[in-house]
Amino acid sequence: MSQRKLLQKIGLYAVLTVGVIISLFPFYWAMIGATNESGKMFSSTPTLVPGTKLIENITNLNESIGIGRVMFNSLFVAGTYTVLSLIICTMAAYAFAKFHFKGRNVIFTIFLLSMMIPYHATVIPLFKMMAAFGWLNTYKALILPNLAYPFAIFLMRQNMLAFPDALIEAARIDGAGEWRIFFRIVLPSMKPALAATAIFLFMYQWNSFLWPLIAVSSEEMYTFPVALSSLFGLSRIDYGQVMAGVTLATVPIIVFFLALQRHFISGMLGSAVK
Amino acid sequence: MRRYWNFLLLLVASMVLLAACSKNDSASSDKGEKVTLTAWAWNVNVGALKEAAKEFQQENPNIELKVEDIGRLDVYDKLSTGLAAGGTGLPDIVLVEDDRIHGYVEAFPKGFLNLSEKGFDKHADHFPQFKKDLTMVDGKFYAMPFDAGPTGMFYRKDLFEKAGVKAEEIETWDDFLEAGKKIKKATGAYAMPLDKFKDDPIFRMMLNQLGVYYFDKDGKIDLTNPKAVQAMEMLKKFDDAKLIKDVDGWNGVVSATVDGSVATIPFGAWYYGTIIDQAKDTKGKWGVFLLPAFEKGGNRAANLGGSSWMIPASTKHPEEAYKFLEFFSTTKEIQLMAMEKYGLFPSLSTAYDSELFTSGVEFFSGEKIWQLFANEMKDIPTAYYTNDYSIALDESIKAQADVFNGKDVKKALKEAAERIKARTKREINRY
């Protein structure tokens, strides 16, 4: 019996190890590319060990796109967006989950349906709107348009549905105001969901490409993905720079994820137990 | 309660930060007479533009140029959005590839300045005919010709030598087919790389060489042309002889170039830049010859790629933008600088008699490859792209895939023509 279990475990770990290697290899490959000269990764015997050109590649990349500036832009935009959007989406989700008002379900359905509109179809109207406000080429145009994000509202609402109404009623009877109930009673128990939504929003904004590309037009306002894309010309691509850029661009997401990971995972387990 | 206040504080603080950071940089910093032009371009073109602007400023200290470096394909997303929004947020100068110029002018007839009206016609004689056809719509210039991509076969001399093949003896595609077989046998290297099911550059070069294209002069679908059939059949012969290396996209071509698994790469002159950037270790092993002809003595000139400058009609400084571009496009020294430093092959013919073009290229073991390309320019037939080019390209690639999968060439091209007709409502030429 225990031997069978052991075998099972070995088999499981073997499968998992393969999975880990498969999912980690692209990162490793990017890092190898970042430390080698452009073109090395194409040679008939690709190197799998780090090279010595990391500093050179990063210096060149910095010359091409100005790493500090675009990193700041991306961090600032994604960070501010995550905070603002989290507040707005959580409040909206709370209203949809716990308040009873006329047309609630209709409004919520319309919200969900808006997720079905292809993003590309909204670009030109949005662009015109931003131009009319005089917001083109500003942080406002990058951060504000997608603050109320339907999927985030949906995610939070589903989590809040499980929150017992009895607690809210008890708080009301005890004389707590609606704000107080929201911030002191409901939110504290939503930490895992908040963490998951925050990671989601941060990644969404960090990876966002088309809208930042359209909305800003001066290099000082570029976000990281837009700046990376400018490395691609017709025939001359410095793959060392590209790979160094790609590697750098993944760092903030990993850090952000690790920082919130504890809450995130306990959130998933929490809902599993229920 | 404290937590609630913390939240509100955070909200307010980030709002304030947001407002403080979004600076008001409207373009109206017209102190005195100073004009700042903005330009959109990609990659090496940015460097060339910036350097030209420095030269230009010596005579025109009041005109400044701000160049935004944008990815090649990203430029079109931004340009199309801006044009669709009625010219909002567009620059004064934008670089556009030649295969898109007609499409843009047809889709947005009032979107760009008519440069003939500004007097560009007087420079027309300095550019080859095919480039003029690409930059003119209805006989008027809408773009200023810049770089071009005269095609050639970039080949590995060491592999050719090993197989006992002489490049100068290859005159026709059939010669090249035989040579390819020999080389494969002796060295194991394929004749050419191609992303067989996703791109068709070799087919396009062959079409251009034969004086046909997806469309004819009148915009009719021309894939049923016997010459198009001839080109595709030739490609099929190479595939049947297992001489085409199926590669994955652009990176696959680069990879095949670096690892020596192909003996030749047919491409535009701009591929020189890729070779010297990525395959540094192969210095001295490369040579170039013209595309083989379809019959002895036939045309060996074709073009792939190239771009030109356009001025969006929404510009507030049309005179200054025109003046700068005229300087950029028609000044020999500027074009030579762009060529020497950035490998951008000029279409300005007055540049060709300079030393840069008549001397040998070190990386290509002293071969005079620029002279070869320059001499080719005048013989290049015009390719007709129209505003449905991307649809035709898409269907042509499908036709090529069908052929490689065993479909009859004539049938595959006819079906592709029908599909283009269905999608574009254009007529098909009957033969």
Side-chain angles (χ1 to χ4, degrees):
Chain A
M1 188 69 187
S2 82
Q3 202 176 6
R4 216 182 111 197
K5 257 192 179 158
L6 188 71
L7 276 177
Q8 264 180 353
K9 228 173 193 175
I10 291 175
L12 181 69
Y13 275 86
V15 171
L16 287 178
T17 311
V18 172
V20 165
I21 291 174
I22 289 175
S23 46
L24 280 186
F25 186 73
F27 288 105
Y28 184 67
W29 185 238
M31 279 191 268
I32 296 301
T35 57
N36 277 303
E37 205 174 21
S38 179
K40 264 278 156 57
M41 54 198 301
F42 294 117
S43 68
S44 48
T45 49
T47 50
L48 281 176
V49 287
T52 53
K53 302 275 173 161
L54 179 65
I55 305 293
E56 196 184 321
N57 283 332
I58 289 187
T59 315
N60 289 340
L61 179 70
N62 194 35
E63 220 162 84
S64 308
I65 65 172
I67 298 173
R69 181 75 205 188
V70 294
M71 190 58 112
F72 169 78
N73 286 344
S74 261
L75 282 176
F76 177 71
V77 168
T80 317
Y81 173 82
T82 306
V83 171
L84 293 181
S85 183
L86 199 59
I87 294 170
I88 288 171
C89 293
T90 312
M91 286 181 173
Y94 179 59
F96 280 128
K98 292 298 171 197
F99 287 156
H100 299 272
F101 51 91
K102 222 177 171 185
R104 181 181 76 167
N105 292 336
V106 176
I107 298 175
F108 187 61
T109 313
I110 292 174
F111 243 102
L112 287 189
L113 283 177
S114 76
M115 282 201 290
M116 310 244 179
I117 303 173
Y119 189 68
H120 297 75
T122 65
V123 164
I124 291 174
L126 195 58
F127 181 77
K128 280 184 167 171
M129 207 190 266
M130 293 297 125
F133 294 165
W135 284 5
L136 287 181
N137 216 17
T138 67
Y139 288 118
K140 280 180 274 191
L142 290 178
I143 295 171
L144 298 182
N146 294 307
L147 278 184
Y149 193 65
F151 183 72
I153 295 175
F154 175 73
L155 197 68
M156 284 310 296
R157 173 186 175 268
Q158 297 312 98
N159 276 287
M160 285 184 176
L161 281 180
F163 191 83
D165 286 340
L167 278 181
I168 299 177
E169 274 157 30
R172 271 193 200 123
I173 290 165
D174 286 343
E178 290 304 324
W179 287 103
R180 199 185 168 97
I181 296 174
F182 178 65
F183 281 106
R184 311 259 348 233
I185 313 282
V186 180
L187 275 195
S189 72
M190 288 291 141
K191 261 190 195 161
L194 286 171
T197 311
I199 290 172
F200 177 79
L201 289 169
F202 187 83
M203 273 180 58
Y204 164 76
Q205 185 66 334
W206 184 265
N207 292 332
S208 173
F209 173 70
L210 183 65
W211 177 245
L213 169 72
I214 303 288
V216 304
S217 52
S218 70
E219 283 171 35
E220 306 88 72
M221 294 296 295
Y222 279 3
T223 59
F224 218 114
V226 177
L228 274 188
S229 185
S230 74
L231 296 174
F232 289 86
L234 177 64
S235 58
R236 307 189 78 160
I237 303 168
D238 185 334
Y239 291 91
Q241 281 187 41
V242 172
M243 287 305 178
V246 167
T247 309
L248 282 178
T250 51
V251 170
I253 289 199
I254 294 173
V255 169
F256 193 76
F257 184 81
L258 288 180
L260 291 179
Q261 184 193 33
R262 202 165 45 89
H263 301 291
F264 182 55
I265 289 176
S266 75
M268 297 213 299
L269 287 178
S271 54
V273 172
K274 275 170 212 163
Chain B
M1 213 55 189
R2 220 179 67 216
R3 207 175 269 183
Y4 157 45
W5 281 115
N6 280 347
F7 247 97
L8 269 193
L9 260 177
L10 194 61
L11 181 71
V12 172
S14 45
M15 283 290 194
V16 169
L17 199 58
L18 187 62
C21 277
S22 48
K23 54 183 169 41
N24 242 342
D25 65 343
S26 55
S28 60
S29 54
D30 296 319
K31 278 175 210 144
E33 296 284 303
K34 214 154 197 154
V35 170
T36 302
L37 300 173
T38 53
W40 290 354
W42 57 86
N43 213 251
V44 283
N45 301 287
V46 172
L49 209 53
K50 281 184 177 163
E51 219 157 298
K54 258 189 232 153
E55 293 288 316
F56 183 68
Q57 270 202 313
Q58 298 192 341
E59 305 235 326
N60 302 274
N62 286 331
I63 303 180
E64 247 174 60
L65 184 73
K66 190 166 185 291
V67 190
E68 309 295 355
D69 189 348
I70 303 173
R72 175 175 65 101
L73 297 172
D74 302 340
V75 164
Y76 304 124
D77 285 341
K78 288 177 74 76
L79 183 59
S80 301
T81 309
L83 286 167
T88 319
L90 292 181
D92 304 292
I93 292 167
V94 59
L95 187 64
V96 177
E97 279 166 291
D98 292 345
D99 53 16
R100 305 206 182 220
I101 294 172
H102 275 245
Y104 268 119
V105 175
E106 281 171 38
F108 301 100
K110 290 187 179 145
F112 298 94
L113 284 195
N114 177 337
L115 305 176
S116 288
E117 275 175 13
K118 300 260 171 212
F120 195 73
D121 287 351
K122 65 170 184 269
H123 302 294
D125 290 343
H126 298 315
F127 298 99
Q129 187 58 42
F130 84 93
K131 193 76 179 176
K132 279 189 270 187
D133 289 334
L134 290 172
T135 49
M136 291 172 105
V137 179
D138 296 330
K140 307 279 180 224
F141 276 107
Y142 280 90
M144 282 198 208
F146 178 30
D147 69 319
T151 56
M153 311 285 279
F154 293 88
Y155 76 102
R156 282 286 291 269
K157 286 184 166 172
D158 51 335
L159 297 178
F160 271 54
E161 253 166 49
K162 210 170 166 188
V165 173
K166 287 198 174 112
E168 52 285 4
E169 282 170 12
I170 297 173
E171 286 182 38
T172 66
W173 282 103
D174 285 313
D175 293 347
F176 184 56
L177 184 69
E178 291 314 311
K181 286 177 189 164
K182 265 196 213 165
I183 293 168
K184 178 121 193 239
K185 212 172 167 195
T187 68
Y190 292 86
M192 305 183 279
L194 178 65
D195 194 345
K196 280 163 69 176
F197 302 100
K198 284 194 222 118
D199 202 4
D200 69 342
I202 302 174
F203 181 55
R204 272 180 282 147
M205 284 183 254
M206 287 174 163
L207 288 180
N208 189 203
Q209 181 190 12
L210 288 165
V212 295
Y213 220 67
Y214 299 154
F215 301 102
D216 70 1
K217 208 176 171 156
D218 306 317
K220 290 183 186 165
I221 303 160
D222 210 21
L223 275 178
T224 46
N225 194 310
K227 286 180 175 171
V229 175
Q230 189 186 6
M232 190 62 93
E233 272 169 354
M234 183 56 75
L235 205 53
K236 172 76 174 155
K237 274 195 219 169
F238 279 87
D239 190 50
D240 286 343
K242 306 243 180 311
L243 292 178
I244 294 179
K245 181 177 187 190
D246 191 13
V247 296
D248 185 18
W250 172 257
N251 296 345
V253 176
V254 176
S255 185
T257 307
V258 177
D259 66 18
S261 58
V262 296
T264 58
I265 300 126
F267 253 142
W270 38 262
Y271 199 64
Y272 161 83
T274 310
I275 295 177
I276 61 164
D277 285 352
Q278 315 290 353
K280 293 196 177 86
D281 302 342
T282 55
K283 189 175 176 180
K285 291 184 185 167
W286 292 91
V288 182
F289 60 96
L290 290 176
L291 295 189
F294 276 85
E295 62 265 349
K296 260 200 166 49
N299 177 39
R300 300 182 70 173
N303 178 71
L304 188 76
S307 47
S308 301
W309 303 102
M310 299 180 86
I311 305 180
S314 56
T315 174
K316 291 196 185 72
H317 313 292
E319 299 307 324
E320 290 85 353
Y322 178 84
K323 202 172 166 196
F324 171 71
L325 280 188
E326 188 182 40
F327 168 79
F328 185 94
S329 307
T330 60
T331 308
K332 183 176 157 182
E333 288 72 29
I334 295 296
Q335 294 296 313
L336 288 174
M337 173 274 293
M339 168 79 193
E340 187 165 17
K341 286 203 177 163
Y342 302 100
L344 295 158
F345 194 91
S347 53
L348 182 71
S349 58
T350 51
Y352 299 154
D353 52 19
S354 63
E355 206 198 317
L356 179 60
F357 280 87
T358 50
S359 52
V361 177
E362 205 194 337
F363 199 94
F364 283 66
S365 58
E367 254 186 51
K368 293 179 181 175
I369 65 168
W370 300 129
Q371 199 169 38
L372 177 105
F373 287 127
N375 289 339
E376 182 186 348
M377 290 290 281
K378 61 183 187 315
D379 299 323
I380 297 172
T382 304
Y384 295 99
Y385 292 102
T386 79
N387 58 347
D388 290 320
Y389 172 63
S390 54
I391 292 175
L393 176 66
D394 182 37
E395 296 300 347
S396 165
I397 291 168
K398 283 187 211 160
Q400 178 183 287
D402 285 345
V403 168
F404 285 150
N405 280 332
K407 193 174 260 184
D408 174 63
V409 170
K410 250 187 184 167
K411 197 171 163 221
L413 286 174
K414 188 158 183 289
E415 284 172 5
E418 298 286 350
R419 290 194 301 266
I420 298 170
K421 185 185 171 188
R423 288 171 73 178
T424 66
K425 310 283 174 257
R426 287 175 187 272
E427 273 178 66
I428 303 175
N429 279 328
R430 304 268 161 223
Y431 292 94

